[in-house]
Amino acid sequence: MERVCVIGAGSSGIAACQVLAERGIPYDCYESGSEVGGNWRYENDNGMSSAYRSLHINTSRQVMEYASFPMPAGCPVYPSHFQIARYFDAFVDHFGLRPSITFRTEVTGVVKTPDGRWSVTARHRDDGRTTSRAYDAVLVANGHHWKPRMPQPALPGADSFTGTQTHSHHYRTPEPFAGARVLVLGIGNSACDIAVETSRVSARTFLAMRRGAHILPKYLFGTPTDHLTGSWLARAPLSVQAAGLALLLRISRGRLASYGLPEPRHGVLGAHPTISDDLLSRLGHGDITVTPMITALDRGGAVFADGRREAIDAVVYCTGYDIAFPFLAKELIDPADNAVGLYRRVVSPEHPGLYFIGLVQPLGAIMPLAEAQSHWVADLLQGRCQLPPRAAMYREIAAYHARTARRYVASTRHTIQVDALSHLRELREERARGAAVPRP
């Protein structure tokens, strides 16, 4: 193995760099920003961070930390993005990874060469200088929360609306919404955080959604809720997990209808969780008004599915993100509707040497998963592990998509969904299976 290219120095990219360095695999990492951290670097000058000023993690630090580098014991259970960025800096410096990262350099093209290698073209953002270099493998770690997805098609009347329309990706602080009548569209984590924040300064805040969602607190009975993923409950069958968690939520929180929210039609583990300690209390105080789904905008207001109209000054679309790889041709991977066909969520069956790190939406945290994925890829690069035949990889991909469709609400949000513990287990099993395959 001559050399590997890592694209991106966010949380997944630096995990890949650490594993490659530990294994003695030469690599180059390209990062379009000036610092590591990706989405967790507030106001990242790569223009791709969606972090807002008050953002804290929704998974506890014990669940989020890298296995190779635990977070400091004095770090709070749910750190802010500033603390997470410092943790990533410490991670990179501890392992001496910074010299291998070329900052302020964006990858503009990755193409397969006739000899089966990969030609990577990169452009320096300061002087426009471009370079091309051949690599034996490419690890794509450019993230999937940087290209905002607006409603498609746009809401009727959106082009005539005289207020402001923005995506949550561009939200930073609530001050621009002071005194305004704000409509937040969505019921995910960002939507809840933004509705809570704007409600403290706005004249009125409305929260509209297509469907109900289960609202999980960060703590259940004094314990971080995601610590349940390491309890006996997580090892029970899925139906038992869902019933147990639903019971705990009913005891601790009551019915969502009591707060004015629509009751979800799906089970508590049938969608990516929405985690908020503040939303329910703000609803109970009357600071946020829940509305049916918005059906249209007009010059100065919004019309809802029940026919009523409200005057609106600003709309914040919390409508998710599109997966995109602007440096890869669609012939290599086409993420239309956020559907990607990767073996074990990592390997391109058709294109040996092309891997994707952190391209998952976990019930849990991405960082330990990216670390484990990188170890598997390192096994493959060093010949310690073999992939199954291509037909077997396609069968696994089809089984994953079928399993996901059965479990989760139909949404582009769930096309790359995984359970963290299950994904870690399948990676361990895959490494053991691949190591047992006789080498060709």
Side-chain angles (χ1 to χ4, degrees):
M1 179 58 57
E2 293 185 10
R3 202 162 195 87
V4 174
C5 174
V6 178
I7 301 176
S11 61
S12 296
I14 60 176
C17 292
Q18 188 274 322
V19 170
L20 294 172
E22 175 187 305
R23 298 289 197 91
I25 300 172
Y27 71 93
D28 298 315
C29 177
Y30 298 101
E31 164 57 44
S32 61
S34 300
E35 300 176 272
V36 302
N39 206 33
W40 289 99
R41 181 71 62 176
Y42 182 63
E43 297 287 32
N44 194 326
D45 65 2
N46 66 8
M48 297 180 183
S49 175
S50 58
Y52 35 92
R53 176 63 178 78
S54 63
L55 181 66
H56 287 69
I57 63 174
N58 280 329
T59 52
S60 63
R61 65 175 173 84
Q62 296 94 331
V63 170
M64 184 182 187
E65 65 191 9
Y66 297 111
S68 60
F69 192 72
M71 287 191 188
C75 194
V77 176
Y78 292 100
S80 72
H81 60 79
F82 294 112
Q83 292 166 313
I84 295 298
R86 288 197 294 270
Y87 169 66
F88 290 150
D89 282 333
F91 175 88
V92 166
D93 292 334
H94 176 79
F95 291 107
L97 307 176
R98 203 172 293 273
S100 66
I101 303 171
T102 304
F103 291 99
R104 293 195 59 76
T105 301
E106 62 176 333
V107 172
T108 58
V110 176
V111 297
K112 208 167 189 178
T113 61
D115 61 356
R117 302 179 75 202
W118 297 92
S119 176
V120 176
T121 301
R123 181 183 66 85
H124 197 279
R125 294 177 59 202
D126 292 329
D127 58 18
R129 177 174 46 88
T130 62
T131 58
S132 293
R133 185 166 186 176
Y135 293 94
D136 295 275
V138 174
L139 277 60
V140 179
N142 68 320
H144 53 89
H145 286 136
W146 60 268
K147 185 180 181 183
R149 182 174 61 247
M150 297 292 280
Q152 293 295 331
L155 290 171
D159 56 349
S160 64
F161 181 63
T162 56
T164 62
Q165 298 180 72
T166 187
H167 192 277
S168 58
H169 179 73
H170 304 291
Y171 175 87
R172 294 295 178 266
T173 64
E175 284 76 15
F177 300 93
R181 294 171 65 86
V182 182
L183 171 63
V184 179
L185 176 57
I187 191 59
N189 293 305
S190 296
C192 292
D193 286 351
I194 292 171
V196 165
E197 285 202 351
T198 57
S199 72
R200 295 191 174 105
V201 300
S202 66
R204 196 167 179 189
T205 291
F206 301 91
L207 181 62
M209 64 209 74
R210 294 186 184 278
R211 64 177 69 92
H214 294 277
I215 310 298
L216 278 64
K218 288 190 172 181
Y219 286 88
L220 273 172
F221 307 109
T223 300
T225 302
D226 62 10
H227 285 197
L228 292 173
T229 60
S231 70
W232 66 268
L233 187 60
R235 293 184 285 275
L238 185 62
S239 59
V240 175
Q241 293 182 48
L245 183 54
L247 178 62
L248 291 173
L249 290 174
R250 179 60 64 87
I251 293 171
S252 63
R253 183 203 63 196
R255 294 177 60 86
L256 290 172
S258 302
Y259 302 89
L261 287 166
E263 289 287 348
R265 296 180 180 179
H266 56 272
V268 68
L269 295 179
H272 192 77
T274 297
I275 301 172
S276 176
D277 282 331
D278 297 324
L279 178 67
L280 300 185
S281 63
R282 298 300 286 179
L283 289 169
H285 294 160
D287 298 317
I288 299 172
T289 301
V290 176
T291 72
M293 183 56 189
I294 181 175
T295 57
L297 293 171
D298 56 32
R299 286 185 58 80
V303 180
F304 300 95
D306 59 359
R308 69 168 161 157
R309 179 189 179 279
E310 294 283 354
I312 298 294
D313 301 307
V315 180
V316 183
Y317 296 100
C318 304
T319 45
Y321 293 84
D322 285 323
I323 297 172
F325 311 104
F327 43 82
L328 290 174
K330 287 187 177 181
E331 292 74 25
L332 294 175
I333 186 168
D334 184 4
D337 295 324
N338 286 3
V340 289
L342 299 173
Y343 180 59
R344 304 293 185 195
R345 288 8 94 219
V346 175
V347 174
S348 170
E350 289 287 339
H351 305 289
L354 183 60
Y355 307 99
F356 295 80
I357 305 298
L359 189 56
V360 288
Q361 183 73 32
L363 294 175
I366 283 183
M367 293 71 182
L369 304 187
E371 194 174 26
Q373 290 174 344
S374 299
H375 275 292
W376 176 38
V377 171
D379 284 351
L380 295 170
L381 295 175
Q382 293 183 319
R384 300 183 184 182
C385 188
Q386 304 296 318
L387 290 170
R390 189 176 297 169
M393 289 194 276
Y394 280 120
R395 285 195 297 271
E396 189 279 332
I397 293 169
Y400 163 76
H401 287 309
R403 195 166 58 246
T404 302
R406 286 194 301 270
R407 173 173 171 178
Y408 294 105
V409 171
S411 168
T412 54
R413 189 183 191 192
H414 297 125
T415 54
I416 55 173
Q417 192 79 27
V418 297
D419 283 338
L421 290 182
S422 297
H423 190 53
L424 287 172
R425 183 169 57 251
E426 76 172 330
L427 291 171
R428 286 195 301 269
E429 292 172 353
E430 181 64 32
R431 292 178 69 186
R433 183 210 61 76
V437 175
R439 297 184 185 182

